[in-house]
Amino acid sequence: MALKIGIVGLPNVGKSTLFNALTRSRAAQAANYPFCTIDPNIGIVEVPDERLAKLVELVKPEKMIPAVVEFVDIAGLVKGASKGEGLGNQFLHHIREVEAICHVLRAFENGDIIHVAGKIAPEDDRSVIETELALADLDVVQKRMEKIQGHARTGDKEKAAELEALQKVLTALEAGKSPRDIAFEKEQAIAVENLHLLSLKPMLYALNVDEAQLKEMTPEKARQHARLPEDTEVIPICAKLEEDLQDLSAEEGRELLKELGVTSSGLDRLAKAAYRLLGYLTFFTAGPKEVRAWTVTSGATAPKAAGVIHTDFEKGFIKAEAISYKDFVQYSGELGAKNAGKMRSEGKEYVVADGDIFHFRFNV
């Protein structure tokens, strides 16, 4: 299960530069003019997890496979995008295909890089993008309501429930409020989910700063700078610095970050923030062939985790032999943990814990 995160924002806020940094490539063209990116660039990024290295040290497998995040660099939106301005309809379609949104806000000053609004104001930039997403959703909801109203009036209970849910969304959007706060019944939630509304997608923010700002910009200061609510996930990041790191060795990169007073790279912080945002966690499989990290949603049962590896594992699930990461390390691997009585046999109702190391038993 690869997370697919769309990187959005106004033109020239640093989206493509950030994409290049995250993917350690120069795949996304970055230039000083709007709509430099037309087709979305896609990059697969490894999710940093220090636990993998420890498991490799203990197991000594032939190879290691980390979990990954798929970043999609979507062209810059502009005011009027919901009505097709700046190829907006095309770009909005790309956003509908991702699980979450990383909204890049510009905080750095640079007279050589044009800002479409002519000024640096992260709060205003955020308002423009979120308004366009809401307007696009408003259009989708209204069209769907028109289509099902007749069925709802003639007694179709399913369509009546959907219409009620859409009315709640419409009311929120027209009032300038987020539909994320609406409490839907199960059937209504499914109906709304099928519309892939942009305003309902989980969103985190990357505040793009310069090197001088980065030294002082804590997440709390970044939230205040962009006028974001206290519970909002925001990552202060210097996209240009992160892009420059690709030309350095891992050790040189760590030294440079240390000099700047930064403890981890933008990739680390964004990938981990995305995990938190979507409620994902990691489990592992560890054997002589490979040590591998897998991703499941929080609350997933053992059969669902098995199904991430292969659908046959879920269909024919018998049990899961599980060891916590802590016990696996403490007792120097599977054999030591088993001898210490730390290997558990879990059934179909077991809820996966972050860091579980599994061996699945199944019958096809």
Side-chain angles (χ1 to χ4, degrees), residues 187-203:
E187 294 76 11
Q188 293 179 333
I190 294 172
V192 172
E193 183 179 339
N194 289 336
L195 292 180
H196 304 288
L197 297 178
L198 306 173
S199 301
L200 288 176
K201 291 188 180 293
M203 185 179 293

Side-chain angles (χ1 to χ4, degrees), residues 26 30 82 187 230:
R26 299 195 185 275
S82 59
E187 294 76 11
E230 288 186 9

Side-chain angles (χ1 to χ4, degrees), residues 301-322:
T301 59
K304 287 294 183 183
V308 172
I309 299 175
H310 198 288
T311 53
D312 285 347
F313 287 19
E314 181 176 0
K315 292 175 183 176
F317 180 89
I318 298 173
K319 66 177 181 179
E321 294 173 347

Side-chain angles (χ1 to χ4, degrees), residues 170-184:
L170 182 67
T171 300
L173 291 173
E174 288 181 334
K177 297 179 180 179
S178 172
R180 293 193 191 96
D181 300 327
I182 299 173
F184 295 110

Side-chain angles (χ1 to χ4, degrees), residues 278-281 296-300 351-352:
L278 290 170
Y280 281 9
L281 54 80
V296 292
T297 53
S298 179
V351 176
V352 179

Side-chain angles (χ1 to χ4, degrees), residues 33-285:
Y33 52 87
F35 312 121
C36 178
T37 302
I38 301 298
D39 295 320
N41 299 295
I42 298 175
I44 305 296
V45 181
E46 296 181 0
V47 177
D49 192 327
E50 59 277 3
R51 294 174 298 185
L52 269 175
K54 188 62 179 179
L55 292 177
V56 168
E57 179 185 325
L58 291 170
V59 179
K60 296 180 173 56
E62 294 178 12
K63 61 181 177 179
M64 176 191 76
I65 304 176
V68 297
V69 174
E70 186 173 303
F71 281 98
V72 183
D73 177 33
I74 297 169
L77 298 174
V78 294
K79 188 173 183 179
S82 59
K83 302 300 181 184
E85 291 293 329
L87 300 179
N89 290 331
Q90 179 181 342
F91 301 156
L92 290 167
H93 171 72
H94 295 319
I95 303 174
R96 294 195 191 280
E97 297 178 340
V98 302
E99 281 80 43
I101 297 172
C102 175
H103 187 173
V104 181
L105 300 171
R106 177 175 170 178
F108 68 89
E109 297 277 356
N110 188 326
D112 294 329
I113 301 178
I114 302 167
H115 190 289
V116 291
K119 61 177 181 178
I120 305 303
E123 183 181 9
D124 292 348
D125 295 356
R126 176 169 65 88
S127 178
V128 169
I129 295 295
E130 292 178 5
T131 298
E132 292 305 321
L133 298 184
L135 288 173
D137 284 346
L138 198 61
D139 185 54
V140 170
V141 169
Q142 289 172 332
K143 287 179 179 177
R144 179 61 181 171
M145 290 177 72
E146 290 172 4
K147 186 174 182 178
I148 67 173
Q149 276 176 345
H151 297 284
R153 281 196 297 266
T154 56
D156 186 322
K157 292 183 179 180
E158 183 178 320
K159 292 295 188 291
E162 181 181 355
L163 187 62
E164 182 182 349
L166 293 178
Q167 184 59 58
K168 292 179 181 179
V169 175
L170 182 67
T171 300
L173 291 173
E174 288 181 334
K177 297 179 180 179
S178 172
R180 293 193 191 96
D181 300 327
I182 299 173
F184 295 110
E185 295 179 3
K186 184 177 180 181
E187 294 76 11
Q188 293 179 333
I190 294 172
V192 172
E193 183 179 339
N194 289 336
L195 292 180
H196 304 288
L197 297 178
L198 306 173
S199 301
L200 288 176
K201 291 188 180 293
M203 185 179 293
L204 61 87
Y205 296 85
L207 187 68
N208 193 9
V209 301
D210 59 31
E211 288 187 24
Q213 291 172 308
L214 186 64
K215 294 179 181 179
E216 306 296 332
M217 192 68 73
T218 64
E220 179 56 35
K221 287 182 179 179
R223 272 191 291 272
Q224 294 173 358
H225 197 73
R227 303 291 195 275
L228 287 162
E230 288 186 9
D231 59 348
T232 305
E233 188 85 59
V234 56
I235 310 297
I237 186 170
C238 178
K240 185 63 177 71
L241 169 65
E242 296 285 344
E243 186 181 37
D244 290 343
L245 289 175
Q246 68 181 284
D247 297 322
L248 305 177
S249 67
E251 181 60 34
E252 289 172 332
R254 283 192 293 270
E255 285 300 316
L256 177 56
L257 291 174
K258 185 177 179 181
E259 288 175 15
L260 294 171
V262 181
T263 57
S264 60
S265 73
L267 167 59
D268 290 13
R269 286 175 280 138
L270 272 180
K272 290 177 179 178
Y275 256 54
R276 290 193 298 271
L277 183 70
L278 290 170
Y280 281 9
L281 54 80
T282 301
F283 72 89
F284 302 97
T285 52

Side-chain angles (χ1 to χ4, degrees), residues 328-345:
F328 196 95
V329 172
Q330 181 176 344
Y331 295 100
S332 302
E334 180 179 323
L335 183 59
K338 185 176 181 179
N339 291 338
K342 298 299 182 180
M343 178 181 283
R344 313 181 311 274
S345 181

